[in-house]
């Protein structure tokens, strides 16, 4: 488990919001002659360790891409197994999350899930809603395009009710109605694919992207440390010049 002492000794910057596309569970299992679902179970163990490290590093928000809105296209047996794993993980982990002051937030269209899974999600969120430590966002049946559409629908309804004027809608107002309104600082993608896969499209506008060929079940603290080292070397300009950033940092 990484902690702040390790990072302080290496002069590392810690992102406020870390997002991870956890890719490669199936490929990891296939390479070992196992069923793909075995890879997903191994990946769930890695999730537990990453949550521990994020907590120890005092990262404010951790968003994990667990199941995309496009993943329904996978074989039915795999989808069913993933739903069972999600329900099992909630049952096993929610008490530990609460004990560690972690707030759980499931983002995505959960209406497609079974009533029992929806109930488990709502129960877990209610239990942890007052925690003020790490906010853990689990993106399940999530898509970045869906996120922007649902936020737009909320604003359209507000306009219809006379609660807001259409001309007053700006980027800030739309962002407030996203399922996850917080900008991402560092996005990690495992498995080597060079795409964002419809994940947090708005929130990643100025995120630093770190892609590793390491498959998710093999992602450990040493891999997380490499990602943090990469992030620490990046100059985040947000449209400004290097000179302007340097002047800001020096107080001029």
């Amino acid at each position: 488990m990484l902690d702040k002492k390790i990072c302080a000794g290496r002069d590392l910057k810690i992102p406020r919001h870390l997002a991870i596309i956890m890719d490669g569970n199936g490929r990891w299992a296939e390479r070992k002659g196992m069923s793909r679902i075995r890879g997903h179970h191994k990946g769930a163990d890695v999730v537990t360790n990453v949550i521990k490290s994020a907590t120890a590093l005092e990262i404010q928000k951790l968003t994990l891409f667990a199941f995309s809105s496009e993943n329904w296209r996978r074989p039915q047996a795999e989808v069913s197994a993933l739903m069972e794993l999600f329900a099992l993980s909630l049952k096993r982990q929610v008490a530990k999350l609460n004990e560690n002051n972690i707030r759980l937030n499931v983002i995505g269209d959960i209406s497609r899930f079974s009533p029992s899974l929806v109930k488990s999600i709502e129960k877990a969120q209610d239990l942890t809603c007052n925690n003020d430590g790490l906010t853990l966002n689990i993106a399940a049946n999530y898509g970045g395009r869906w996120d922007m559409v649902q936020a737009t629908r909320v604003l359209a309804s507000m306009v219809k009710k006379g609660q807001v004027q259409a001309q007053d809608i700006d980027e800030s107002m739309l962002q407030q109605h996203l399922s996850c309104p917080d900008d991402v600082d560092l996005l990690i993608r495992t498995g080597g694919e060079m795409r964002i896969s419809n994940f947090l499209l708005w929130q990643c506008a100025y995120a630093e992207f770190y892609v590793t060929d390491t498959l998710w079940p093999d992602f450990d603290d040493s891999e997380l440390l490499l990602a943090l080292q990469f992030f620490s070397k990046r100059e985040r300009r947000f449209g400004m010049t290097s000179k302007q950033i340097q002047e800001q940092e020096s107080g001029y």
Side-chain angles (χ1 to χ4, degrees), residues 1-5 50-59:
M1 179 182 69
L2 284 182
D3 58 28
K4 294 205 75 173
K5 290 182 179 179
V50 168
I51 293 172
K52 290 179 179 178
S53 291
T55 302
L57 292 169
E58 297 181 11
I59 290 173

Side-chain angles (χ1 to χ4, degrees), residues 16-212:
R16 289 167 297 179
H17 186 182
L18 170 63
I20 306 178
I21 300 175
M22 307 178 294
D23 196 12
N25 289 336
R27 282 178 284 161
W28 179 88
E30 289 170 348
R31 291 176 186 179
K32 295 180 178 295
M34 302 176 181
S35 67
R36 290 176 59 86
I37 193 59
R38 286 285 297 277
H40 293 302
H41 278 271
K42 175 63 175 177
D45 294 336
V46 177
V47 167
T48 300
N49 187 64
V50 168
I51 293 172
K52 290 179 179 178
S53 291
T55 302
L57 292 169
E58 297 181 11
I59 290 173
Q60 295 178 18
K61 301 180 188 299
L62 173 65
T63 303
L64 304 176
F65 204 6
F67 190 85
S68 78
S69 51
E70 289 78 27
N71 284 156
W72 294 105
R73 302 170 185 170
R74 293 190 175 186
Q76 183 58 48
E78 182 173 349
V79 171
S80 297
L82 284 169
M83 294 300 105
E84 292 175 5
L85 177 58
F86 188 16
L88 181 62
S89 296
L90 280 174
K91 183 178 180 180
R92 288 179 174 176
Q93 300 297 330
V94 64
K96 293 180 181 178
L97 295 177
N98 193 45
E99 289 172 6
N100 287 282
N101 196 32
I102 295 172
R103 177 175 177 264
L104 177 66
N105 184 34
V106 178
I107 63 173
D109 182 8
I110 66 172
S111 65
R112 192 168 177 180
F113 296 151
S114 68
S116 61
L117 181 53
V118 170
K119 185 176 180 179
S120 294
I121 290 171
E122 292 174 344
K123 183 177 179 181
Q125 291 182 146
D126 289 343
L127 177 65
T128 63
C129 66
N130 293 320
N131 294 340
D132 57 6
L134 171 72
T135 295
L136 173 62
N137 298 312
I138 301 295
N141 195 25
Y142 175 87
R145 292 176 176 176
W146 164 87
D147 203 2
M148 287 186 276
V149 168
Q150 65 85 23
T152 302
R153 286 174 176 167
V154 171
L155 292 176
S157 178
M158 293 173 67
V159 170
K160 185 176 181 179
K161 294 176 182 177
Q163 297 171 336
V164 65
Q165 297 298 311
Q167 61 268 25
D168 293 331
I169 296 174
D170 56 15
E171 292 182 9
S172 177
M173 190 179 297
L174 191 148
Q175 185 163 353
Q176 290 173 15
H177 293 285
L178 295 173
S179 60
C180 174
D182 306 292
D183 288 336
V184 173
D185 297 302
L186 173 62
L187 172 65
I188 298 174
R189 177 161 192 155
T190 62
E193 300 290 356
M194 301 295 290
R195 54 177 175 265
I196 198 169
S197 296
N198 196 22
F199 181 50
L200 299 178
L201 298 178
W202 180 288
Q203 297 89 334
C204 283
Y206 273 98
E208 302 297 330
F209 285 15
Y210 178 82
V211 178
T212 174

Side-chain angles (χ1 to χ4, degrees), residues 178-249:
L178 295 173
S179 60
C180 174
D182 306 292
D183 288 336
V184 173
D185 297 302
L186 173 62
L187 172 65
I188 298 174
R189 177 161 192 155
T190 62
E193 300 290 356
M194 301 295 290
R195 54 177 175 265
I196 198 169
S197 296
N198 196 22
F199 181 50
L200 299 178
L201 298 178
W202 180 288
Q203 297 89 334
C204 283
Y206 273 98
E208 302 297 330
F209 285 15
Y210 178 82
V211 178
T212 174
D213 289 330
T214 299
L215 302 177
W216 179 246
D218 290 326
F219 190 86
D220 56 16
D221 286 340
S222 63
E223 291 287 341
L224 179 56
L225 183 59
L226 288 174
L228 295 177
Q229 289 173 334
F230 162 84
F231 178 72
S232 300
K233 294 176 183 177
R234 299 294 299 166
E235 182 182 64
R236 308 191 71 202
R237 297 194 296 271
F238 300 98
M240 294 184 286
T241 66
S242 294
K243 182 179 179 181
Q244 286 176 302
I245 296 298
Q246 292 167 6
E247 289 175 346
Q248 277 189 355
E249 293 176 349

